Amino acid sequence: QVQLVESGGGLVQAGGSLRLSCAASGRTFSSYAMGWFRQAPGKERELVAAINWSGYNKYYTDSVKGRFTISRDNAKNTLYLQMNSLKPEDTAVYYCAAERTIGVVTTAGTYDYWGQGTQVTVSS
């Protein structure tokens, strides 16, 4: 089992940057595929980016390609999401998720573990 705690959200102007972190408990973080999701008010939760256990394979949804970078530090049990060139439409609660598997996981229903979320607000 793994517990996830996100941090790094906040209020930023359009064009700015934020880096989200997701700290995972336990000693088997490297056994988990990880993902970042977001949910805006009145909208469904959507996948933003995903990464496999090693960090070698990554996936990004089209709307964030070239602006966001997902990465992980298995020695620190931490997942990151570097968000640059932020837009008002990136405003949402951002969640990290974990699934004990080796590949990249792009389906929300596959993830077994979720953090509590961190709010990102981008002003225009």
Side-chain angles (χ1 to χ4, degrees), residues 53-72:
W53 72 275
S54 68
Y56 186 78
N57 294 317
K58 303 176 184 180
Y59 168 90
Y60 298 94
T61 194
D62 286 345
S63 61
V64 307
K65 284 180 180 177
R67 300 189 299 123
F68 290 12
T69 302
I70 189 171
S71 63
R72 67 190 296 162

Side-chain angles (χ1 to χ4, degrees), residues 13-119:
Q13 289 188 334
S17 298
L18 284 174
R19 189 175 82 155
L20 305 184
S21 298
C22 173
S25 66
R27 294 176 292 179
T28 59
F29 179 68
S30 61
S31 299
Y32 289 84
M34 303 294 296
W36 284 103
F37 289 77
R38 66 186 179 188
Q39 187 167 20
K43 295 187 176 181
E44 294 187 353
R45 187 172 298 190
E46 67 167 344
L47 175 67
V48 176
I51 191 168
N52 77 324
W53 72 275
S54 68
Y56 186 78
N57 294 317
K58 303 176 184 180
Y59 168 90
Y60 298 94
T61 194
D62 286 345
S63 61
V64 307
K65 284 180 180 177
R67 300 189 299 123
F68 290 12
T69 302
I70 189 171
S71 63
R72 67 190 296 162
D73 186 335
N74 287 342
K76 295 183 178 179
N77 285 9
T78 303
L79 175 74
Y80 303 100
L81 185 68
Q82 177 67 44
M83 305 187 294
N84 299 327
S85 302
L86 283 161
K87 305 175 180 180
E89 51 263 43
D90 294 318
T91 295
V93 178
Y94 283 70
Y95 301 88
C96 65
E99 171 63 19
R100 194 178 180 105
T101 189
I102 62 173
V104 175
V105 179
T106 60
T107 305
T110 304
Y111 284 94
D112 285 334
Y113 304 102
W114 293 82
Q116 83 290 347
T118 185
Q119 176 71 48

Side-chain angles (χ1 to χ4, degrees), residues 1-16:
Q1 189 171 357
V2 62
Q3 294 182 324
L4 306 172
V5 179
E6 302 97 334
S7 61
L11 174 63
V12 64
Q13 289 188 334

